[in-house]
Amino acid sequence: MKKLNERKCIPCEGGLEPLDLEECKLLLNKLDDGWKLNEDAKSIEKTFTRKNHYEITSLMNLVIHISHTEDHHPEITLGYNSVCVKYFTYAIDGLSENDFICAAKVDKIISI
């Protein structure tokens, strides 16, 4: 089976059940440290920090590039030297495999 960061998101327009807590925990363990599952298991998020605004906006642009190529878009909160990336699937009001695929791609590109 391919690693999460090697997979491609599949369009989700609803009609599927969100991942349950156990599935979320299994997939969360495949991500780099720092990703957190929210209390109701409907989203995952990670905050990244860099030295300054320029570096953090560059990182944010990498996340935006991933969201564009995967057609799966996170909620992004930008600060001076930090950015919080939050994934969840609106169409199913919870988490899908797409959220973990994108998070893994973010981890991979950020670690380069």
Side-chain angles (χ1 to χ4, degrees):
M1 181 175 254
K2 288 184 178 181
K3 293 180 181 178
L4 282 172
N5 64 22
E6 296 171 343
R7 294 165 138 170
K8 181 82 176 135
C9 288
I10 299 169
C12 178
E13 297 178 9
L16 302 172
E17 289 295 315
L19 298 173
D20 65 31
L21 181 59
E22 291 307 312
E23 292 170 311
C24 291
K25 286 181 178 179
L26 283 172
L27 290 169
L28 190 66
N29 286 331
K30 294 181 180 189
L31 300 176
D32 289 352
D33 290 340
W35 288 99
K36 296 176 183 161
L37 182 64
N38 78 342
E39 290 181 16
D40 60 4
K42 288 189 175 189
S43 66
I44 55 172
E45 66 180 69
K46 184 174 182 176
T47 299
F48 300 88
T49 57
R50 293 294 184 263
K51 290 189 310 189
N52 56 47
H53 192 68
Y54 174 75
E55 288 184 14
I56 205 65
T57 55
S58 297
L59 185 148
M60 184 181 73
N61 283 326
L62 291 171
V63 173
I64 291 168
H65 174 73
I66 291 167
S67 69
H68 176 71
T69 58
E70 293 298 321
D71 197 24
H72 192 71
H73 306 90
E75 186 175 287
I76 300 172
T77 305
L78 176 66
Y80 169 74
N81 68 343
S82 66
V83 67
C84 179
V85 179
K86 181 177 182 179
Y87 281 105
F88 54 99
T89 303
Y90 289 96
I92 60 172
D93 190 33
L95 286 163
S96 70
E97 192 173 82
N98 291 343
D99 300 302
F100 293 92
I101 289 170
C102 287
K105 288 179 184 257
V106 168
D107 284 342
K108 182 178 180 182
I109 203 161
I110 302 284
S111 67
I112 295 175

